[in-house]
Amino acid sequence: MTDFNSTSFQPATLQLTGFPGQEAVYHWIAVPFVVIYITAIVGNCLVLFIIWADRRLHRPMYWFLCMLSVNDLGVCLSTLPTVLGTFCFHFTVIAFDACLAQMFFIHTFSFMESGILVAMSFDRFVAICNPLRYAAILSNSRILTIALAVVMKSSSIIFPFPFLIKRLPVCKTNILSHAYCLHSDLMRLACADTTVNNIYGLFSILATCGLDSLFIILSYIKILMTVLKIASQEQRLTALNTCASHICAVLLFYVPIIAVTLMHRFGKNFPHLVQILASYVYLFVTPVLNPVIYSVKTKEIRKAIFRVLSRDLM
């Protein structure tokens, strides 16, 4: 029997789900997740260490990259306990309030990533369109202000989510669809009207990812207009190449989130396994690939890695 709270009609615990029907091979399924977590944590910590150790990289573009790496670490650490607990130790029980806390952090870090990508597009916009005032516009104090604004905006938008879930009676089931807690999944358990949750969820996505993607598109339209005015083709390619890593990071973030959103809204006929895999891709691909992309595509990061490694080996 599900242990329900008699006053709020909410279960004391919830049941996490990995891949239904595959419980016998969870120890094998755990292997790629362990590799993913190690790769993401080591990769992002390496980026942070390289930027901290090399003073040549103490510039606005790389401070924003530090924010992205810290945020990716936050995404990993917010899901790690329940994902590895489920697949490594078959520990699938989570307290209801702990689930709400995890949901808050997962969505907050996801929305913060969107805000950081906007800040990075602004950095590229200033660097290409107004290079003479780049250092003056993006001073350290202004970068700190931007970072605080991203954190405050994301956390304040997500802040009502736990309370919106808390007010709903849960009487259908206490079994979640994933090895972690998401707003849409928790909302599915309710046996009351979830119109307010749906409306606020849509508003939160439009107010963050919707507006952020619009600002990124406008920034790149202006960047492209400026680049096309450059007479030398080599200089045009050089200018565009400085945006390549950021464009890849934007695509890595927005393509999975759009796919998962469309699948949840309109893809009821998709196999359940496909929906589960899409959700894992949305959360885990970005933290793993962001440090790889910036290490491969950014010449200064590559040089800094070689400098630090050669100094340590001497």
Side-chain angles (χ1 to χ4, degrees):
M1 293 286 290
T2 303
D3 180 17
F4 281 92
N5 184 307
S6 60
T7 57
S8 62
F9 300 101
Q10 291 164 348
T13 61
L14 296 172
Q15 192 80 19
L16 300 167
T17 303
F19 292 94
Q22 304 299 319
E23 288 79 6
V25 293
Y26 270 8
H27 58 288
W28 291 111
I29 296 175
V31 173
F33 282 104
V34 171
V35 172
I36 285 170
Y37 278 117
I38 292 174
T39 304
I41 292 171
V42 171
N44 285 289
C45 286
L46 179 63
V47 169
L48 291 172
F49 172 74
I50 291 298
I51 294 174
W52 173 79
D54 195 325
R55 295 189 63 84
R56 297 179 183 88
L57 301 182
H58 292 185
R59 305 203 304 269
M61 174 182 174
Y62 302 106
W63 293 137
F64 288 124
L65 180 54
C66 283
M67 293 181 207
L68 190 66
S69 292
V70 169
N71 190 78
D72 284 341
L73 287 172
V75 172
C76 289
L77 296 177
S78 61
T79 59
L80 184 148
T82 55
V83 171
L84 294 189
T86 298
F87 292 113
C88 294
F89 308 108
H90 293 265
F91 187 78
T92 59
V93 176
I94 184 171
F96 186 79
D97 288 337
C99 190
L100 293 180
Q102 185 186 49
M103 175 196 71
F104 172 81
F105 284 111
I106 289 175
H107 288 300
T108 298
F109 284 122
S110 295
F111 282 8
M112 280 173 57
E113 181 125 358
S114 180
I116 293 168
L117 291 173
V118 173
M120 296 176 83
S121 71
F122 178 67
D123 167 79
R124 293 298 83 209
F125 166 76
V126 176
I128 293 173
C129 300
N130 201 351
L132 297 179
R133 298 196 59 217
Y134 179 68
I137 293 174
L138 288 173
S139 60
N140 287 340
S141 61
R142 191 157 291 163
I143 292 171
L144 180 60
T145 302
I146 291 172
L148 291 175
V150 169
V151 173
M152 291 300 296
K153 177 190 173 185
S154 303
S155 57
S156 61
I157 288 177
I158 298 299
F159 185 74
F161 274 26
F163 301 100
L164 290 173
I165 292 293
K166 194 87 170 174
R167 70 185 181 86
L168 296 173
V170 177
C171 54
K172 290 182 178 179
T173 180
N174 71 330
I175 301 174
L176 298 171
S177 302
H178 307 290
Y180 43 82
C181 302
L182 297 176
H183 177 254
S184 58
D185 205 12
L186 284 166
M187 191 171 58
R188 182 184 58 81
L189 306 181
C191 53
D193 186 13
T194 58
T195 302
V196 174
N197 293 68
N198 280 313
I199 292 174
Y200 188 76
L202 180 60
F203 162 77
S204 65
I205 292 174
L206 292 176
T208 50
C209 297
L211 283 177
D212 290 347
S213 59
L214 179 62
F215 287 138
I216 291 172
I217 290 170
L218 292 175
S219 295
Y220 274 101
I221 290 173
K222 184 63 177 175
I223 287 170
L224 191 58
M225 291 171 61
T226 302
V227 168
L228 290 176
K229 294 177 182 177
I230 300 174
S232 169
Q233 183 177 357
E234 183 178 350
Q235 289 180 337
R236 286 201 297 266
L237 291 174
T238 301
L240 289 174
N241 192 52
T242 64
C243 303
S245 300
H246 179 255
I247 292 172
C248 291
V250 169
L251 293 175
L252 271 177
F253 176 77
Y254 282 104
V255 171
I257 199 172
I258 291 171
V260 169
T261 301
L262 291 176
M263 198 172 291
H264 276 295
R265 298 288 177 183
F266 309 110
K268 303 301 182 183
N269 295 325
F270 276 95
H272 186 54
L273 179 61
V274 174
Q275 297 185 36
I276 293 174
L277 287 173
S279 181
Y280 283 121
V281 168
Y282 153 60
L283 280 178
F284 295 121
V285 167
T286 301
V288 171
L289 292 185
N290 272 343
V292 175
I293 288 170
Y294 275 93
S295 298
V296 171
K297 295 291 292 180
T298 308
K299 182 171 63 175
E300 290 79 4
I301 293 286
R302 291 201 307 271
K303 288 181 176 179
I305 292 173
F306 291 135
R307 280 196 296 267
V308 171
L309 290 177
S310 60
R311 186 175 62 196
D312 291 341
L313 292 173
M314 289 179 62

PDB file of all heavy atoms in Angstrom, residues 85-112:
ATOM      1  N   GLY A  85      21.889   5.552  -7.942  1.00  0.00           N
ATOM      2  CA  GLY A  85      21.211   4.737  -6.930  1.00  0.00           C
ATOM      3  C   GLY A  85      20.271   3.729  -7.560  1.00  0.00           C
ATOM      4  O   GLY A  85      20.191   2.569  -7.140  1.00  0.00           O
ATOM      5  N   THR A  86      19.563   4.162  -8.600  1.00  0.00           N
ATOM      6  CA  THR A  86      18.616   3.274  -9.288  1.00  0.00           C
ATOM      7  C   THR A  86      19.325   2.158 -10.034  1.00  0.00           C
ATOM      8  O   THR A  86      18.974   0.983  -9.906  1.00  0.00           O
ATOM      9  CB  THR A  86      17.748   4.089 -10.269  1.00  0.00           C
ATOM     10  OG1 THR A  86      16.983   5.053  -9.537  1.00  0.00           O
ATOM     11  CG2 THR A  86      16.802   3.171 -11.040  1.00  0.00           C
ATOM     12  N   PHE A  87      20.337   2.519 -10.838  1.00  0.00           N
ATOM     13  CA  PHE A  87      20.954   1.528 -11.718  1.00  0.00           C
ATOM     14  C   PHE A  87      22.066   0.716 -11.049  1.00  0.00           C
ATOM     15  O   PHE A  87      22.281  -0.441 -11.408  1.00  0.00           O
ATOM     16  CB  PHE A  87      21.497   2.210 -12.974  1.00  0.00           C
ATOM     17  CG  PHE A  87      20.421   2.760 -13.870  1.00  0.00           C
ATOM     18  CD1 PHE A  87      20.278   4.125 -14.049  1.00  0.00           C
ATOM     19  CD2 PHE A  87      19.535   1.917 -14.511  1.00  0.00           C
ATOM     20  CE1 PHE A  87      19.273   4.637 -14.869  1.00  0.00           C
ATOM     21  CE2 PHE A  87      18.528   2.411 -15.328  1.00  0.00           C
ATOM     22  CZ  PHE A  87      18.395   3.776 -15.507  1.00  0.00           C
ATOM     23  N   CYS A  88      22.772   1.313 -10.109  1.00  0.00           N
ATOM     24  CA  CYS A  88      23.877   0.593  -9.460  1.00  0.00           C
ATOM     25  C   CYS A  88      23.423  -0.223  -8.257  1.00  0.00           C
ATOM     26  O   CYS A  88      23.932  -1.321  -8.016  1.00  0.00           O
ATOM     27  CB  CYS A  88      24.962   1.579  -9.021  1.00  0.00           C
ATOM     28  SG  CYS A  88      25.814   2.405 -10.370  1.00  0.00           S
ATOM     29  N   PHE A  89      22.472   0.327  -7.483  1.00  0.00           N
ATOM     30  CA  PHE A  89      22.104  -0.313  -6.215  1.00  0.00           C
ATOM     31  C   PHE A  89      20.631  -0.698  -6.131  1.00  0.00           C
ATOM     32  O   PHE A  89      20.179  -1.142  -5.080  1.00  0.00           O
ATOM     33  CB  PHE A  89      22.470   0.629  -5.053  1.00  0.00           C
ATOM     34  CG  PHE A  89      23.884   1.110  -5.090  1.00  0.00           C
ATOM     35  CD1 PHE A  89      24.180   2.422  -5.429  1.00  0.00           C
ATOM     36  CD2 PHE A  89      24.936   0.250  -4.812  1.00  0.00           C
ATOM     37  CE1 PHE A  89      25.490   2.878  -5.477  1.00  0.00           C
ATOM     38  CE2 PHE A  89      26.245   0.690  -4.859  1.00  0.00           C
ATOM     39  CZ  PHE A  89      26.529   2.004  -5.191  1.00  0.00           C
ATOM     40  N   HIS A  90      19.869  -0.499  -7.227  1.00  0.00           N
ATOM     41  CA  HIS A  90      18.434  -0.798  -7.248  1.00  0.00           C
ATOM     42  C   HIS A  90      17.695  -0.069  -6.113  1.00  0.00           C
ATOM     43  O   HIS A  90      16.703  -0.573  -5.596  1.00  0.00           O
ATOM     44  CB  HIS A  90      18.193  -2.312  -7.136  1.00  0.00           C
ATOM     45  CG  HIS A  90      18.674  -3.079  -8.322  1.00  0.00           C
ATOM     46  ND1 HIS A  90      17.856  -3.430  -9.375  1.00  0.00           N
ATOM     47  CD2 HIS A  90      19.908  -3.560  -8.634  1.00  0.00           C
ATOM     48  CE1 HIS A  90      18.561  -4.103 -10.267  1.00  0.00           C
ATOM     49  NE2 HIS A  90      19.805  -4.179  -9.850  1.00  0.00           N
ATOM     50  N   PHE A  91      18.208   1.097  -5.753  1.00  0.00           N
ATOM     51  CA  PHE A  91      17.555   1.901  -4.711  1.00  0.00           C
ATOM     52  C   PHE A  91      16.629   2.890  -5.416  1.00  0.00           C
ATOM     53  O   PHE A  91      17.069   3.912  -5.939  1.00  0.00           O
ATOM     54  CB  PHE A  91      18.601   2.631  -3.869  1.00  0.00           C
ATOM     55  CG  PHE A  91      18.016   3.329  -2.675  1.00  0.00           C
ATOM     56  CD1 PHE A  91      17.667   2.609  -1.539  1.00  0.00           C
ATOM     57  CD2 PHE A  91      17.800   4.702  -2.685  1.00  0.00           C
ATOM     58  CE1 PHE A  91      17.125   3.248  -0.437  1.00  0.00           C
ATOM     59  CE2 PHE A  91      17.252   5.347  -1.586  1.00  0.00           C
ATOM     60  CZ  PHE A  91      16.917   4.619  -0.468  1.00  0.00           C
ATOM     61  N   THR A  92      15.343   2.584  -5.420  1.00  0.00           N
ATOM     62  CA  THR A  92      14.399   3.341  -6.248  1.00  0.00           C
ATOM     63  C   THR A  92      13.409   4.173  -5.445  1.00  0.00           C
ATOM     64  O   THR A  92      12.477   4.733  -6.014  1.00  0.00           O
ATOM     65  CB  THR A  92      13.606   2.383  -7.151  1.00  0.00           C
ATOM     66  OG1 THR A  92      12.907   1.432  -6.343  1.00  0.00           O
ATOM     67  CG2 THR A  92      14.527   1.645  -8.114  1.00  0.00           C
ATOM     68  N   VAL A  93      13.598   4.280  -4.148  1.00  0.00           N
ATOM     69  CA  VAL A  93      12.661   5.030  -3.312  1.00  0.00           C
ATOM     70  C   VAL A  93      13.237   6.415  -3.018  1.00  0.00           C
ATOM     71  O   VAL A  93      14.415   6.544  -2.680  1.00  0.00           O
ATOM     72  CB  VAL A  93      12.384   4.271  -1.989  1.00  0.00           C
ATOM     73  CG1 VAL A  93      11.482   5.103  -1.073  1.00  0.00           C
ATOM     74  CG2 VAL A  93      11.748   2.928  -2.271  1.00  0.00           C
ATOM     75  N   ILE A  94      12.410   7.440  -3.152  1.00  0.00           N
ATOM     76  CA  ILE A  94      12.826   8.805  -2.827  1.00  0.00           C
ATOM     77  C   ILE A  94      11.703   9.491  -2.047  1.00  0.00           C
ATOM     78  O   ILE A  94      10.521   9.305  -2.355  1.00  0.00           O
ATOM     79  CB  ILE A  94      13.170   9.607  -4.111  1.00  0.00           C
ATOM     80  CG1 ILE A  94      13.705  11.001  -3.756  1.00  0.00           C
ATOM     81  CG2 ILE A  94      11.976   9.703  -5.051  1.00  0.00           C
ATOM     82  CD1 ILE A  94      14.259  11.769  -4.950  1.00  0.00           C
ATOM     83  N   ALA A  95      12.081  10.245  -1.032  1.00  0.00           N
ATOM     84  CA  ALA A  95      11.090  10.977  -0.252  1.00  0.00           C
ATOM     85  C   ALA A  95      10.418  12.035  -1.122  1.00  0.00           C
ATOM     86  O   ALA A  95      11.052  12.604  -2.012  1.00  0.00           O
ATOM     87  CB  ALA A  95      11.746  11.621   0.968  1.00  0.00           C
ATOM     88  N   PHE A  96       9.146  12.286  -0.857  1.00  0.00           N
ATOM     89  CA  PHE A  96       8.390  13.226  -1.687  1.00  0.00           C
ATOM     90  C   PHE A  96       9.038  14.611  -1.686  1.00  0.00           C
ATOM     91  O   PHE A  96       9.209  15.220  -2.755  1.00  0.00           O
ATOM     92  CB  PHE A  96       6.950  13.319  -1.171  1.00  0.00           C
ATOM     93  CG  PHE A  96       6.048  14.152  -2.024  1.00  0.00           C
ATOM     94  CD1 PHE A  96       5.502  13.647  -3.198  1.00  0.00           C
ATOM     95  CD2 PHE A  96       5.745  15.464  -1.678  1.00  0.00           C
ATOM     96  CE1 PHE A  96       4.672  14.421  -4.003  1.00  0.00           C
ATOM     97  CE2 PHE A  96       4.920  16.248  -2.478  1.00  0.00           C
ATOM     98  CZ  PHE A  96       4.382  15.721  -3.631  1.00  0.00           C
ATOM     99  N   ASP A  97       9.410  15.108  -0.510  1.00  0.00           N
ATOM    100  CA  ASP A  97      10.022  16.444  -0.440  1.00  0.00           C
ATOM    101  C   ASP A  97      11.395  16.472  -1.095  1.00  0.00           C
ATOM    102  O   ASP A  97      11.783  17.472  -1.705  1.00  0.00           O
ATOM    103  CB  ASP A  97      10.121  16.907   1.019  1.00  0.00           C
ATOM    104  CG  ASP A  97       8.763  17.260   1.610  1.00  0.00           C
ATOM    105  OD1 ASP A  97       7.839  17.576   0.829  1.00  0.00           O
ATOM    106  OD2 ASP A  97       8.614  17.213   2.844  1.00  0.00           O
ATOM    107  N   ALA A  98      12.155  15.377  -0.973  1.00  0.00           N
ATOM    108  CA  ALA A  98      13.454  15.299  -1.648  1.00  0.00           C
ATOM    109  C   ALA A  98      13.277  15.322  -3.157  1.00  0.00           C
ATOM    110  O   ALA A  98      14.084  15.909  -3.885  1.00  0.00           O
ATOM    111  CB  ALA A  98      14.191  14.036  -1.216  1.00  0.00           C
ATOM    112  N   CYS A  99      12.203  14.691  -3.634  1.00  0.00           N
ATOM    113  CA  CYS A  99      11.904  14.695  -5.062  1.00  0.00           C
ATOM    114  C   CYS A  99      11.594  16.111  -5.539  1.00  0.00           C
ATOM    115  O   CYS A  99      12.048  16.528  -6.614  1.00  0.00           O
ATOM    116  CB  CYS A  99      10.717  13.769  -5.333  1.00  0.00           C
ATOM    117  SG  CYS A  99      10.406  13.447  -7.076  1.00  0.00           S
ATOM    118  N   LEU A 100      10.837  16.863  -4.731  1.00  0.00           N
ATOM    119  CA  LEU A 100      10.537  18.253  -5.086  1.00  0.00           C
ATOM    120  C   LEU A 100      11.813  19.087  -5.145  1.00  0.00           C
ATOM    121  O   LEU A 100      11.975  19.935  -6.036  1.00  0.00           O
ATOM    122  CB  LEU A 100       9.565  18.860  -4.070  1.00  0.00           C
ATOM    123  CG  LEU A 100       8.136  18.294  -4.038  1.00  0.00           C
ATOM    124  CD1 LEU A 100       7.308  19.020  -2.977  1.00  0.00           C
ATOM    125  CD2 LEU A 100       7.465  18.421  -5.400  1.00  0.00           C
ATOM    126  N   ALA A 101      12.729  18.846  -4.191  1.00  0.00           N
ATOM    127  CA  ALA A 101      13.994  19.589  -4.186  1.00  0.00           C
ATOM    128  C   ALA A 101      14.819  19.260  -5.427  1.00  0.00           C
ATOM    129  O   ALA A 101      15.387  20.151  -6.069  1.00  0.00           O
ATOM    130  CB  ALA A 101      14.781  19.264  -2.917  1.00  0.00           C
ATOM    131  N   GLN A 102      14.886  17.971  -5.786  1.00  0.00           N
ATOM    132  CA  GLN A 102      15.627  17.593  -6.981  1.00  0.00           C
ATOM    133  C   GLN A 102      15.010  18.214  -8.232  1.00  0.00           C
ATOM    134  O   GLN A 102      15.728  18.705  -9.108  1.00  0.00           O
ATOM    135  CB  GLN A 102      15.668  16.071  -7.125  1.00  0.00           C
ATOM    136  CG  GLN A 102      16.546  15.625  -8.294  1.00  0.00           C
ATOM    137  CD  GLN A 102      16.492  14.138  -8.542  1.00  0.00           C
ATOM    138  OE1 GLN A 102      15.426  13.555  -8.614  1.00  0.00           O
ATOM    139  NE2 GLN A 102      17.657  13.508  -8.669  1.00  0.00           N
ATOM    140  N   MET A 103      13.685  18.187  -8.315  1.00  0.00           N
ATOM    141  CA  MET A 103      12.991  18.808  -9.444  1.00  0.00           C
ATOM    142  C   MET A 103      13.369  20.282  -9.559  1.00  0.00           C
ATOM    143  O   MET A 103      13.652  20.782 -10.660  1.00  0.00           O
ATOM    144  CB  MET A 103      11.481  18.683  -9.264  1.00  0.00           C
ATOM    145  CG  MET A 103      10.666  19.406 -10.322  1.00  0.00           C
ATOM    146  SD  MET A 103       8.930  19.631  -9.820  1.00  0.00           S
ATOM    147  CE  MET A 103       9.132  20.867  -8.519  1.00  0.00           C
ATOM    148  N   PHE A 104      13.394  20.982  -8.437  1.00  0.00           N
ATOM    149  CA  PHE A 104      13.726  22.410  -8.440  1.00  0.00           C
ATOM    150  C   PHE A 104      15.124  22.643  -9.011  1.00  0.00           C
ATOM    151  O   PHE A 104      15.324  23.508  -9.880  1.00  0.00           O
ATOM    152  CB  PHE A 104      13.648  22.966  -7.011  1.00  0.00           C
ATOM    153  CG  PHE A 104      14.145  24.383  -6.877  1.00  0.00           C
ATOM    154  CD1 PHE A 104      13.322  25.446  -7.206  1.00  0.00           C
ATOM    155  CD2 PHE A 104      15.423  24.645  -6.431  1.00  0.00           C
ATOM    156  CE1 PHE A 104      13.775  26.763  -7.096  1.00  0.00           C
ATOM    157  CE2 PHE A 104      15.886  25.946  -6.312  1.00  0.00           C
ATOM    158  CZ  PHE A 104      15.058  27.005  -6.647  1.00  0.00           C
ATOM    159  N   PHE A 105      16.090  21.867  -8.556  1.00  0.00           N
ATOM    160  CA  PHE A 105      17.469  22.080  -9.008  1.00  0.00           C
ATOM    161  C   PHE A 105      17.660  21.679 -10.470  1.00  0.00           C
ATOM    162  O   PHE A 105      18.368  22.367 -11.211  1.00  0.00           O
ATOM    163  CB  PHE A 105      18.445  21.319  -8.104  1.00  0.00           C
ATOM    164  CG  PHE A 105      18.655  21.971  -6.775  1.00  0.00           C
ATOM    165  CD1 PHE A 105      18.177  21.389  -5.615  1.00  0.00           C
ATOM    166  CD2 PHE A 105      19.311  23.186  -6.682  1.00  0.00           C
ATOM    167  CE1 PHE A 105      18.358  22.005  -4.382  1.00  0.00           C
ATOM    168  CE2 PHE A 105      19.504  23.821  -5.455  1.00  0.00           C
ATOM    169  CZ  PHE A 105      19.019  23.213  -4.300  1.00  0.00           C
ATOM    170  N   ILE A 106      17.044  20.570 -10.903  1.00  0.00           N
ATOM    171  CA  ILE A 106      17.183  20.152 -12.303  1.00  0.00           C
ATOM    172  C   ILE A 106      16.651  21.234 -13.237  1.00  0.00           C
ATOM    173  O   ILE A 106      17.312  21.635 -14.203  1.00  0.00           O
ATOM    174  CB  ILE A 106      16.446  18.816 -12.549  1.00  0.00           C
ATOM    175  CG1 ILE A 106      17.187  17.663 -11.871  1.00  0.00           C
ATOM    176  CG2 ILE A 106      16.338  18.545 -14.056  1.00  0.00           C
ATOM    177  CD1 ILE A 106      16.464  16.332 -11.961  1.00  0.00           C
ATOM    178  N   HIS A 107      15.444  21.735 -12.961  1.00  0.00           N
ATOM    179  CA  HIS A 107      14.852  22.744 -13.840  1.00  0.00           C
ATOM    180  C   HIS A 107      15.577  24.083 -13.725  1.00  0.00           C
ATOM    181  O   HIS A 107      15.711  24.798 -14.724  1.00  0.00           O
ATOM    182  CB  HIS A 107      13.368  22.912 -13.514  1.00  0.00           C
ATOM    183  CG  HIS A 107      12.521  21.756 -13.945  1.00  0.00           C
ATOM    184  ND1 HIS A 107      12.429  21.353 -15.256  1.00  0.00           N
ATOM    185  CD2 HIS A 107      11.732  20.899 -13.243  1.00  0.00           C
ATOM    186  CE1 HIS A 107      11.621  20.311 -15.353  1.00  0.00           C
ATOM    187  NE2 HIS A 107      11.190  20.008 -14.141  1.00  0.00           N
ATOM    188  N   THR A 108      16.033  24.427 -12.524  1.00  0.00           N
ATOM    189  CA  THR A 108      16.766  25.691 -12.355  1.00  0.00           C
ATOM    190  C   THR A 108      18.052  25.683 -13.164  1.00  0.00           C
ATOM    191  O   THR A 108      18.355  26.645 -13.885  1.00  0.00           O
ATOM    192  CB  THR A 108      17.077  25.943 -10.868  1.00  0.00           C
ATOM    193  OG1 THR A 108      15.857  26.071 -10.136  1.00  0.00           O
ATOM    194  CG2 THR A 108      17.881  27.228 -10.703  1.00  0.00           C
ATOM    195  N   PHE A 109      18.826  24.612 -13.070  1.00  0.00           N
ATOM    196  CA  PHE A 109      20.078  24.531 -13.835  1.00  0.00           C
ATOM    197  C   PHE A 109      19.809  24.505 -15.338  1.00  0.00           C
ATOM    198  O   PHE A 109      20.578  25.072 -16.122  1.00  0.00           O
ATOM    199  CB  PHE A 109      20.890  23.305 -13.407  1.00  0.00           C
ATOM    200  CG  PHE A 109      21.593  23.462 -12.095  1.00  0.00           C
ATOM    201  CD1 PHE A 109      21.366  22.584 -11.047  1.00  0.00           C
ATOM    202  CD2 PHE A 109      22.491  24.496 -11.902  1.00  0.00           C
ATOM    203  CE1 PHE A 109      22.020  22.733  -9.830  1.00  0.00           C
ATOM    204  CE2 PHE A 109      23.164  24.665 -10.686  1.00  0.00           C
ATOM    205  CZ  PHE A 109      22.908  23.768  -9.648  1.00  0.00           C
ATOM    206  N   SER A 110      18.716  23.856 -15.757  1.00  0.00           N
ATOM    207  CA  SER A 110      18.378  23.841 -17.184  1.00  0.00           C
ATOM    208  C   SER A 110      18.072  25.241 -17.682  1.00  0.00           C
ATOM    209  O   SER A 110      18.535  25.655 -18.752  1.00  0.00           O
ATOM    210  CB  SER A 110      17.177  22.923 -17.427  1.00  0.00           C
ATOM    211  OG  SER A 110      17.498  21.585 -17.140  1.00  0.00           O
ATOM    212  N   PHE A 111      17.289  26.002 -16.913  1.00  0.00           N
ATOM    213  CA  PHE A 111      16.948  27.374 -17.309  1.00  0.00           C
ATOM    214  C   PHE A 111      18.165  28.287 -17.217  1.00  0.00           C
ATOM    215  O   PHE A 111      18.318  29.208 -18.022  1.00  0.00           O
ATOM    216  CB  PHE A 111      15.815  27.901 -16.434  1.00  0.00           C
ATOM    217  CG  PHE A 111      14.456  27.382 -16.823  1.00  0.00           C
ATOM    218  CD1 PHE A 111      14.310  26.395 -17.774  1.00  0.00           C
ATOM    219  CD2 PHE A 111      13.304  27.904 -16.243  1.00  0.00           C
ATOM    220  CE1 PHE A 111      13.063  25.913 -18.145  1.00  0.00           C
ATOM    221  CE2 PHE A 111      12.052  27.432 -16.601  1.00  0.00           C
ATOM    222  CZ  PHE A 111      11.930  26.436 -17.552  1.00  0.00           C
ATOM    223  N   MET A 112      19.044  28.029 -16.240  1.00  0.00           N
ATOM    224  CA  MET A 112      20.263  28.833 -16.129  1.00  0.00           C
ATOM    225  C   MET A 112      21.164  28.628 -17.341  1.00  0.00           C
ATOM    226  O   MET A 112      21.805  29.568 -17.807  1.00  0.00           O
ATOM    227  CB  MET A 112      21.022  28.464 -14.845  1.00  0.00           C
ATOM    228  CG  MET A 112      20.467  29.117 -13.587  1.00  0.00           C
ATOM    229  SD  MET A 112      21.265  28.515 -12.084  1.00  0.00           S
ATOM    230  CE  MET A 112      22.979  28.898 -12.422  1.00  0.00           C
TER     231      MET A 112
END
